């Protein structure tokens, strides 16, 4: 096989994409991981911290700080008894839903040819291929 390994190219691309995404997301005063929480809740409201950690592919211990920061901004609320081993549900507020939708719209704008160099059909194909690679890598990580 010639050329660089595909996963290395993916890492390089991810680094550049993360920079661009951070600029867009930062316009709302939130971080990439915080947007990840908002986006996951927008797609499936009323998730526990454990559900959110799985959706964002992070450790559950990372979620407390993310959720606390979003709560302080009034973007999410937490409902439930809390405490170790107790299910606590996180829900978007109206403002959190509005922020998530604004950011998501701006991020979809980055899918355009002017940013990616790809035609719309290629963007859709690439998204599907990347999801397949992500899912395979995630499944392999859970087998170890």
């Amino acid at each position: 096989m010639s050329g660089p390994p595909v996963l290395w190219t993916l890492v390089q691309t991810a680094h550049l994409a993360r920079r661009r995404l951070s600029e867009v997301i930062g316009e709302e005063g939130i971080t990439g991981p915080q947007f990840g929480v908002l986006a996951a809740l927008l797609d499936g409201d009323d998730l526990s911290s454990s559900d959110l950690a799985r959706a964002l592919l992070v450790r559950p211990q990372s979620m407390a700080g993310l959720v606390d920061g979003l709560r302080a901004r009034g973007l999410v609320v937490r409902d439930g008894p809390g405490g170790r081993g107790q299910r606590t549900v996180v829900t978007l507020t109206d403002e959190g839903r509005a922020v998530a939708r604004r950011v998501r719209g701006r991020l979809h704008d980055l899918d355009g040819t002017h940013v990616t160099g790809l035609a719309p059909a290629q963007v859709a194909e690439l998204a599907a291929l990347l999801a397949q690679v992500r899912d395979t890598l995630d499944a392999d990580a859970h087998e170890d």
Side-chain angles (χ1 to χ4, degrees), residues 29-40:
I30 59 175
T31 65
Q34 287 175 326
F35 171 70
V37 170
L38 297 179

Side-chain angles (χ1 to χ4, degrees), residues 46-124:
D46 299 341
L47 299 174
S48 70
S49 290
S50 296
D51 296 332
L52 288 168
R54 278 189 292 282
L56 273 65
L57 304 174
V58 300
R59 297 184 188 277
Q61 298 85 345
S62 305
M63 292 311 304
L66 287 172
V67 171
D68 287 345
L70 292 168
R71 281 181 59 213
R73 292 260 329 264
L75 302 178
V76 301
V77 293
R78 195 180 316 187
D79 186 34
R84 189 167 177 81
Q86 301 292 318
R87 181 171 168 83
T88 302
V89 174
V90 181
T91 306
L92 286 171
T93 62
D94 289 341
E95 177 62 17
R97 186 170 279 101
V99 167
R101 286 183 176 145
R102 280 194 304 268
V103 171
R104 184 175 276 174
R106 290 181 193 132
L107 294 181
H108 279 297
D109 291 344
L110 294 180
D111 288 348
T113 302
H114 66 287
V115 175
T116 64
L118 300 173
Q122 291 174 306
V123 169

Side-chain angles (χ1 to χ4, degrees), residues 6-58:
V6 70
L7 290 181
W8 178 245
T9 302
L10 183 58
V11 166
Q12 292 175 312
T13 305
H15 177 74
L16 295 170
R18 187 177 300 114
R19 260 196 257 163
R20 183 68 65 97
L21 294 174
S22 292
E23 291 170 7
V24 171
I25 293 167
E27 292 172 7
E28 288 288 343
I30 59 175
T31 65
Q34 287 175 326
F35 171 70
V37 170
L38 297 179
L41 291 171
L42 192 60
D43 292 339
D45 209 6
D46 299 341
L47 299 174
S48 70
S49 290
S50 296
D51 296 332
L52 288 168
R54 278 189 292 282
L56 273 65
L57 304 174
V58 300

